[in-house]
């Protein structure tokens, strides 16, 4: 019997379509992974291309101990809203403090900055937030999958394959 891994995927108004749906389908392909979608207040929302996301629960109701990994998609406008969600910042801090796997892409790395998770760490994110990462004490690297302890980050959706490959590997290998 396979050990089931539970993954939390963040959704929100204006989240970047590619960066939400690629992880959604990729994680769904793994027979030993169960995916949960959380949005602010558990409300349905639309991606930046207008696709409707129906969440499983509210960010505010997430219990981190029930999950093995966290995926934070990007989208500049979405992240501007999501960075203001105290529940998302708190649960990201908790995932990081417990050394559970966290994947972020593009502007999603700004959630890591707000959660104080980048200082002294090598992190990727969209090119325009390089200064933000460095000003938060991180070391910026633009590679298909940047791995630093429990963080798996990438700058752009062109690298989603290697990014998700490394995240899945990280989730499977972690000992909690």
């Amino acid at each position: 019997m396979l050990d089931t891994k539970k993954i939390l995927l963040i959704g929100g108004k204006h989240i970047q379509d590619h960066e939400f749906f690629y992880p959604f389908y990729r994680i769904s392909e793994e027979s030993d992974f169960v995916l949960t979608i959380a949005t602010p207040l558990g409300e349905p929302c639309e991606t930046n291309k207008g696709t409707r996301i129906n969440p499983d629960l509210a960010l505010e109701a997430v219990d981190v101990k029930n999950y093995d990994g966290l995926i934070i998609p990007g989208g500049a406008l979405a992240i501007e809203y999501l960075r203001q969600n105290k529940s998302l910042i708190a649960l990201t801090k908790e995932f990081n403090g417990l050394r559970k796997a966290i994947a972020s892409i593009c502007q999603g790395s700004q959630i890591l900055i707000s959660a104080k998770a980048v200082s002294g760490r090598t992190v990727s994110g969209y090119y325009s937030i390089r200064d933000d990462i460095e000003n938060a004490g991180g070391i910026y690297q633009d590679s298909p999958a940047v791995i630093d302890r429990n963080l798996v980050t990438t700058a752009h959706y062109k690298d989603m394959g290697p990014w998700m490959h490394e995240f899945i590997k990280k989730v499977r290998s972690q000992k909690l």
Side-chain angles (χ1 to χ4, degrees), residues 11-18 20-21 45-53 78:
K13 182 170 65 171
H14 304 299
I15 209 83
Q16 212 281 346
D17 251 71
H18 301 81
F20 179 86
F21 285 107
C45 57
E46 289 187 0
T47 67
N48 67 333
K49 304 289 186 208
T51 306
R52 185 178 174 87
I53 296 173

Side-chain angles (χ1 to χ4, degrees), residues 37 97 128 172 174:
I37 300 168
S128 66
R172 287 203 172 112
Q174 66 190 359

Side-chain angles (χ1 to χ4, degrees), residues 2 12 58-59 66 68 70 81 92 97 102 120 149 158:
L2 294 173
L59 283 171
N66 294 331
D68 301 291
L70 171 66
Y81 290 114
T92 303
I102 302 173
R149 292 173 271 177
K158 68 180 171 48

Side-chain angles (χ1 to χ4, degrees), residues 110-132:
Q110 289 181 305
I111 300 297
L112 300 177
I113 292 169
S114 293
K116 312 282 190 260
V118 303
S119 184
R121 315 269 302 265
T122 303
V123 177
S124 192
Y126 196 67
Y127 321 109
S128 66
I129 67 167
R130 178 183 187 142
D131 288 348
D132 300 317

Side-chain angles (χ1 to χ4, degrees), residues 63-134:
D63 186 346
V64 171
K65 69 178 176 261
N66 294 331
Y67 296 93
D68 301 291
L70 171 66
I71 302 172
I72 307 168
L77 189 54
I79 299 305
E80 285 302 310
Y81 290 114
L82 288 171
R83 285 180 89 175
Q84 298 173 50
N85 186 294
K86 290 178 178 26
S87 295
L88 175 57
I89 302 307
L91 73 89
T92 303
K93 282 182 183 179
E94 191 174 351
F95 266 96
N96 190 53
L98 294 170
R99 295 182 177 87
K100 292 185 178 194
I102 302 173
S104 74
I105 183 170
C106 194
Q107 303 283 357
S109 291
Q110 289 181 305
I111 300 297
L112 300 177
I113 292 169
S114 293
K116 312 282 190 260
V118 303
S119 184
R121 315 269 302 265
T122 303
V123 177
S124 192
Y126 196 67
Y127 321 109
S128 66
I129 67 167
R130 178 183 187 142
D131 288 348
D132 300 317
I133 290 168
E134 291 174 347

